[in-house]
Amino acid sequence: MVDALMDAGFNCLDTVYPYHEGLSEIALKKCVVERYPRESFKIFDKLPTFAITEESQLEPIFAEQLERCGVEYFDYYLMHNVSGFSEKGWLDVDSFAFTNKKKEEGYIKHLGLSTHANAEFLDNILTVHPEMEFVLLQLNYLDWEDEGIESRKCWEVARKHNKPVMVMEAYKCGFLSDVPKESEGLMKKCNPDKSVVSWAMRFVANLEGVFLVLTGSSSLEQVENNIEEFKNIDPLSDDELNVLKKVSEIINANITVDCTKCRYCVEYCPEEIDISKIFDLYNKEKILGENEWSPIGNAYVNYSKLPGVGIASDCSECEACIEECPQEINIPEVLKDVAKTFETEGYGF
Ligand code: SF4
Ligand code: SF4
């Protein structure tokens, strides 16, 4: 996957401290750092602000990240998800001062922040921290006018502060690659040559100020498809933008839970419920419509048989997950409906 990417002329690789218990950073070292000259690629890593409770954690975590990645500096380093969700890590501990110092010392070439917060929050934080050089935002055509996520408003704030924008969730962790048939039909009728994913990519890649789109590929096929998309990432026409508005209306009418699959909640659940996975199945089931039996419901049954996992009805309503959710979803409430949807006699419950 790395070789395909590098051969095609792309060279930005993004990693995060906690993903896969550090294996993401180590994989980056093995696949990239140990195989390519240092100046030929750019590494993006992030300070896990949500895991910081004491000043004494900062230096060891940063040193560990450099060591795991096998580098002497990060090309781009971000304060990870600066928001109400992580405020202990940047209000109680001066993490901003720490990362600014690391930049002065040459360990960080460019310093920025990522956030899932709203536009007002972003405006305030960029006013207080004008030294942030760039921002990583959740931007996609579906969240563009969403009142909770405020993609458009966040992008406008970034432009107001003159900050270059990196994009995450361009197709909502795959959600926008599998749109309802009616939406897909509208897209194909307007432009038969473009895939459903292509519409999502072209929407974000052509926004003013966007310098990088994180595509989140998890297979060689996805890398190859993304390379093809970005070779010819022409802007959407006015007609196509109008189609996307209609597509969003259709999808929004069918989305039940606005879960982005960030998985921040999952490790806090004492009942071992894979909330993210279950919500994904639930959303897909709702988009397909109510069914007595569906492959999605079958996938839920298969999930429920895995050793040690909790299912929706195992939720004890302890609410430990709620404050971890950047989308502010009332998780235990939704799980009640998930249980009603999937845990039926028809599925053997
Ligand atoms: S409220 Fe339910 S889903 Fe949330 S952490 Fe508690 S048991 Fe898990
Ligand atoms: S429920 Fe919230 S915290 Fe959990 S995966 Fe979904 S968006 Fe993330």
Side-chain angles (χ1 to χ4, degrees), residues 47 58-60 62-63 66 72-74 77 95-111:
L47 183 76
L58 294 169
E59 194 66 63
F62 191 79
L66 286 171
E72 290 175 354
Y73 64 89
F74 294 114
Y77 195 75
S95 304
F96 279 95
F98 174 79
T99 48
N100 276 312
K101 181 167 130 296
K102 287 294 164 196
K103 188 180 165 198
E104 276 165 33
E105 292 170 353
Y107 293 108
I108 295 170
K109 300 293 179 200
H110 298 285
L111 179 59

Side-chain angles (χ1 to χ4, degrees), residues 6 32-42 73:
M6 297 287 279
V32 185
V33 178
E34 291 181 351
R35 301 174 57 243
Y36 288 91
R38 180 65 183 93
E39 65 281 4
S40 66
F41 57 84
K42 299 196 186 310
Y73 64 89

Side-chain angles (χ1 to χ4, degrees), residues 284-315:
K284 285 182 175 143
E285 180 77 355
K286 292 287 174 185
I287 281 180
L288 287 174
E290 297 291 336
N291 299 290
E292 273 184 32
W293 187 93
S294 76
I296 313 285
N298 199 44
Y300 185 90
V301 175
N302 290 338
Y303 160 80
S304 73
K305 293 192 172 150
L306 293 172
V309 300
I311 58 175
S313 60
D314 290 330
C315 174

